[in-house]
Amino acid sequence: MGMGGGNRGGGRTTMSEINVTPMVDVMLVLLIIFMVTAPLIQQGVKVNLPETKAAPVEATEKKVVLSIDAGKKVYIGDAEVPLEELEAKLAANAKVQADKEVFLHADRDVPYGTVVEVMAAAQRAGINNVGMITDPSTGAKTSNTQSTSKKPKEAKR
């Protein structure tokens, strides 16, 4: 008579199966939402990053510092090194190979691609850790319009 299974006594039995149709519907809606929003997340949004206050890290021993000035010149310590020779110089440096660590000090106006090239040369030379040296802000919080209009300070070496 109905879908009661094997019970023909006229009484109703409970159905012990879960209806998965609503769950599949919800999952398909979530899949569509993620498919629509994923390309928007990958494009990114242009923002002015805030300046932060960070306590300086105290160094107990002298570390190797790679510097890049505004003219895209690369230095190991105070010695200028052409970008093409950087990987070989880092691979030959005993202190760098022992520590497997360098610190990168780049001018604010250096293009991102140049910084990435220097980091890639360091990685090819077998350096696992690259630290970034920044100048911590000493002033009070500034608004985005003030921080973008400020002229960057020259880094001291």
Side-chain angles (χ1 to χ4, degrees):
M1 195 161 174
M3 297 201 159
N7 189 0
R8 299 193 181 233
R12 294 194 135 181
T13 61
T14 59
M15 192 164 86
S16 62
E17 298 170 1
I18 297 174
N19 187 3
V20 295
T21 304
M23 183 180 72
V24 171
D25 291 344
V26 169
M27 295 304 287
L28 287 174
V29 169
L30 288 174
L31 178 65
I32 291 170
I33 290 171
F34 283 119
M35 287 174 56
V36 169
T37 59
L40 299 175
I41 294 171
Q42 290 177 355
Q43 290 178 355
V45 179
K46 292 183 182 180
V47 295
N48 291 325
L49 297 176
E51 292 183 12
T52 60
K53 294 182 181 179
V57 176
E58 297 296 326
T60 56
E61 63 184 65
K62 187 133 174 103
K63 300 290 184 177
V64 176
V65 177
L66 297 176
S67 299
I68 310 170
D69 66 4
K72 298 182 187 178
K73 295 179 186 172
V74 181
Y75 299 87
I76 298 178
D78 293 332
E80 183 176 351
V81 177
L83 185 58
E84 301 79 25
E85 297 177 14
L86 180 63
E87 180 181 347
K89 296 278 185 182
L90 290 173
N93 189 315
K95 176 140 181 69
V96 170
Q97 291 304 314
D99 293 344
K100 299 287 185 193
E101 179 180 63
V102 295
F103 288 93
L104 184 59
H105 186 246
D107 190 280
R108 180 184 298 203
D109 297 328
V110 174
Y112 181 71
T114 304
V115 174
V116 171
E117 286 177 28
V118 170
M119 291 173 71
Q123 184 183 22
R124 288 191 305 268
I127 297 168
N128 298 330
N129 297 323
V130 177
M132 305 295 262
I133 298 174
T134 60
D135 290 331
S137 66
T138 56
K141 287 187 177 180
T142 58
S143 68
N144 282 344
T145 56
Q146 291 174 339
S147 64
T148 57
S149 64
K150 281 185 182 175
K151 189 173 184 178
K153 297 179 198 174
E154 298 227 348
K156 294 181 182 177
R157 274 188 266 178

